[in-house]
Structures are given as C-alpha cells and as structure tokens.
Amino acid sequence: MPERFGRRIPEPTVVRLPVYQRVLLELSSHGVATISSAELADAAGVNAAKVRKDLSHFGTYGTPGTGYDVDFLLGQIQRELGTDQERPVVIVGIGHLGHALARSQGFAGSGFRLAGLFDSDHKVVGEQVRGVRIRPISDLAGVCRSEKVAVGIITTPAVAAQEVADHLVTAGVGAILNFAPAVLSVPSEVQVRHVDFSAELQVLAFYQAHPEAAPTREAAVTLREARSRRPGPALSMEAGENGGRRALSEGRPGT
Amino acid sequence: MPERFGRRIPEPTVVRLPVYQRVLLELSSHGVATISSAELADAAGVNAAKVRKDLSHFGTYGTPGTGYDVDFLLGQIQRELGTDQERPVVIVGIGHLGHALARSQGFAGSGFRLAGLFDSDHKVVGEQVRGVRIRPISDLAGVCRSEKVAVGIITTPAVAAQEVADHLVTAGVGAILNFAPAVLSVPSEVQVRHVDFSAELQVLAFYQAHPEAAPTREAAVTLREARSRRPGPALSMEAGENGGRRALSEGRPGT
DNA sequence: TACTGTGAAATGGTTCACAGCT
DNA sequence: AGCTGTGAACCATTTCACAGTA
C-alpha cells in the first residue's frame, strides 16, 4: 500500500511533480493514452525508479504490465498540486521582472490568479498590467487579507525585500517566492522559495571553470526521442488521426 | 588539510557560495573585518557546520578563536566562482522576461557580460537593450563562436527551447540557463540549470495545501539581528565611523 | 577562551532488484 | 511477458562533537 499521507513528502519529489504534469499534459494533447515509468522518466529527464517512487508517495496509480493511464495520472497530479483551485497571488515590485512575471502565462493553467500588483514608486502606481492596477505598498496588507492571498512574490530590489516580506507575513501570507537577491528572515511556519538568477549563472560558471568538480548529469530525451528509442511508432504532432487513444509504445499499427 | 581539488564539490555547496559572497560583500561594505562561521551562517540562513564544511572544500581560510577575515574570505570565494573574470553570455528570446534579465543588475558585478541578444521575431530584431542590439537567431552560432560565449540563457516560449538549445550546443556553448518550461535534451557534458517560475509557485502551493508534508526550514536572520542576538554592538549602516575595521562580535567598545 | 577543521554518525534521497499483478 | 510498487542497499549531504590551534 502506498503511504497515504501524514508522511513527509521529500522536497525533490514535489519539485518534480510540475515536470511530470507538463509532460503528461503534452502527451494527453497528443492523444497518448498510457505511458510507462521508463518513458515518463525519459521525457522528464529522470530515471524510472525515481518516477515510480515519487508517485508511490501519493497513491497506486499504475497498472502492472501496462503503465499509467495518462489522463488519470495527470488528474491525480493536478489534484495533489491543487492546480484545480485558483490561488490568489500578489506581486510586489513592478520593475521589469515584476512586469514580466505579471504578464507571463505561468498563472493561468497553473492554478494561480493575479490578485494584486504593488510598487512603492508613485510613478508606476495606477498603471495597469493585464487589467490589474498597480497599487501602493500601503494597500498590500489590506488586499492580502481581504483576498485571502496565499502566495506573495517579491520582485523588489534586495534592500526592500525584507521589509516587503515582513508586510506579507503580517498580512497572513504563508508562502513567499523571492526573486530579490537577499536572504529573507521570516517565521518558520512561512514557506519561502528563492529564485536567484545571478546565483544560477554563477553555479554554471563555477562548474565550467572546474569541470573535474562537476556532478554527472542524467541525460534527458525529448518526447519524440523517448518514443523512437523504444519500439513503437513516432510521436505524431497531429493528435491521434486514427481517432483512438494510444499507448506510447504499443506495437506498430498496421503490421 | 583541506581537500585541494580534483575532488567533486557537492552541488548544494556551490549553490551556497553566491549567498556567502553576497553576505560578505555587505559585511565588507559595513566595515566589518572578521566574522565567525555561526554569524555567517545566521546571515545566510544555514547552520554553522554547513558553512565550515562548505569552505573546507576549498581551503583553510579561518583562524581558530577568531573566525574568518571578511575581505580575505570574500576574495577567495570570488576567485572560486570566477567572479573576477568577465564571462560572455547570450540571451535568446527577448520577450518580457528576456528584456528584464538583459536589464538586470545581475550581470555586472557577478562576472558576466552581455555578449548578444537574439530573437526570431523580425519586429524586435534591431532594437537595442542596454546598448546591445537584438539580432536574428541566424546570427547566434556565429556570435557564440567568435565571442567564445560560455553561457546561453533561454527565455523563449517552451516550444522553441529545444531548438535553441541545439543551436547553442552546436555553437560550442557549454552551459545553459533555461527559463522556458521545458525539459532540455543536451549532451551530458553540457551543464543545464532550469529556472521554472510556475513550478516554484506550485511547490509553495503544494506545501501550503499539505502542511503536514512540509519540510522544516532553518530560520534565517538579518545581518542586523545576527549581530544583536550575539554579544556585540548593533550593526551600523554608516560604515565604520571609528575608522578601524571591526569584528562582527567584538566586545562592546567603550565599556 | 573561542573558534576552526574534520572524522564519524545520522539523516535523507536515490537506485537496485525483485515479488507480485495484469 | 511486461511493468508496477517497494523493501533493502547504496550513496550524498548534513549534523555532531571534539581535537587542535590562535
């Protein structure tokens, strides 16, 4: 029996769920009906054991001898991730990056809704991005409370980040995605994730300068390659012209 | 003796290096002369043992009984990260995100130089961002080769990402920072790091929906708090008015 | 005394390998 | 025959705890 919750879910597992979700979404749109852990692993750039172990934390979703039903598994993952509900988020700091995130496609379809944009600069307050008005920081706490905002995104300069985080925490926001290059100090019950563009560049540069110190990476494979490297027809980009849903590696049709 | 290279450096260690660097940069600008592993750990949001183990991979930089010399340690970390050299990078896909990254401060001071901007859209080709002209993708390989580009940044839509990655690899670019929501398939000697904004949001949402499954986080502390929680004077924002460089937790002056 | 550097122990995540199901 | 789910083995990283040094 799978470990039906109460248990801790490893962070690396949770990080991989959105990747599986994306692959399954694409497979589903191509009319693929079932997929094995090995194929899903190829497409996600991980290995098959990891896929199976990851999924086993949530339930028994596969069928021995066949694999996983794409649409069913997709539904389960979306349920776990809460992609079905709409979580309100705010972005604080509407510079170029804040603008870019506000306009990105990452919200719709991933279960998030832009509940507010905030900036301290009087010159941008009042502007609209995607139909959402930019408000002054003084409105932040009020909006977070009234809209029950779950996640706050910080895209301010580093010097302002801690102050904004304090406002968010005070307003009851329980999760923060921080793009500012600063370490935030928040109560331990608040979740924080840090996205640091220049740190990522530096990590790449480091391993480039010291190849002998580099970890060995697992090679990923495109969906098309995942299919062609295993027995089965090539993955067509025109979804299922034969009408029926297919397994990713069923026997060649018409032979 | 510290393990003087040849050895593998754990990825988590490399990821923390830029964080230490940033903290030390700030300490240095405040005129702080020395810092203990415990204080650096507080400011970086990690624990002291981790700081010491991380640094031990590179050399013996500390002084028992005293701690680390801020400027010396900063210099060593910058040397390890190669922050002293200027690495040329290109950005492919100059939408809102590409624009934002091109304009960001993350390049200068982190050891990177914008060597080229590329987009497939004829409408933006020819525009300038930060004095760098946007060129067509057909110029990509040529520029990468002639400028010896080390790192390629992909900020295209997901569908274009693999094709761009192929171009970069062909042109000899050995490291890719991928912002597109797609798993890239590249030769194993090419380093890839993936920054996925909406996946990060989903991870936060997941742990918010399942608090019982959440990992327990280590609480960080601001530089100011790091100092005040330990015996010593408050960290002043006006750098060293007493002229001399100070330890972060030296005894109270004038008592 | 106060701190670093580091073996050794503990933890946590990954991979193996196979029993069991379809 | 083929593939899942999962204990057990393995490996990497973190944390402990302390000998050694300024």
Side-chain angles (χ1 to χ4, degrees), chain B residues 3 10 28 37-39 56 60 85 98 100 104 110 159 162 173 189 199 211-212 220 225 227 246:
Chain B
E3 24 178 309
S28 178
S37 62
E39 292 164 330
S56 79
T60 310
Q85 295 136 73
S104 86
S110 296
V159 285
Q162 182 61 51
V173 175
E189 70 273 14
E212 76 284 0
E225 288 162 3
R227 161 156 268 192
R246 304 161 302 181

Side-chain angles (χ1 to χ4, degrees), chain B residues 107-140:
Chain B
F107 290 109
S110 296
F112 299 94
R113 178 176 62 79
L114 252 193
L117 299 172
F118 298 87
D119 202 291
S120 60
D121 185 347
H122 297 286
K123 287 196 282 288
V124 305
V125 168
E127 281 179 28
Q128 299 230 141
V129 181
R130 276 214 164 194
V132 180
R133 194 175 69 87
I134 302 177
R135 296 156 165 263
I137 302 278
S138 52
D139 290 3
L140 179 59

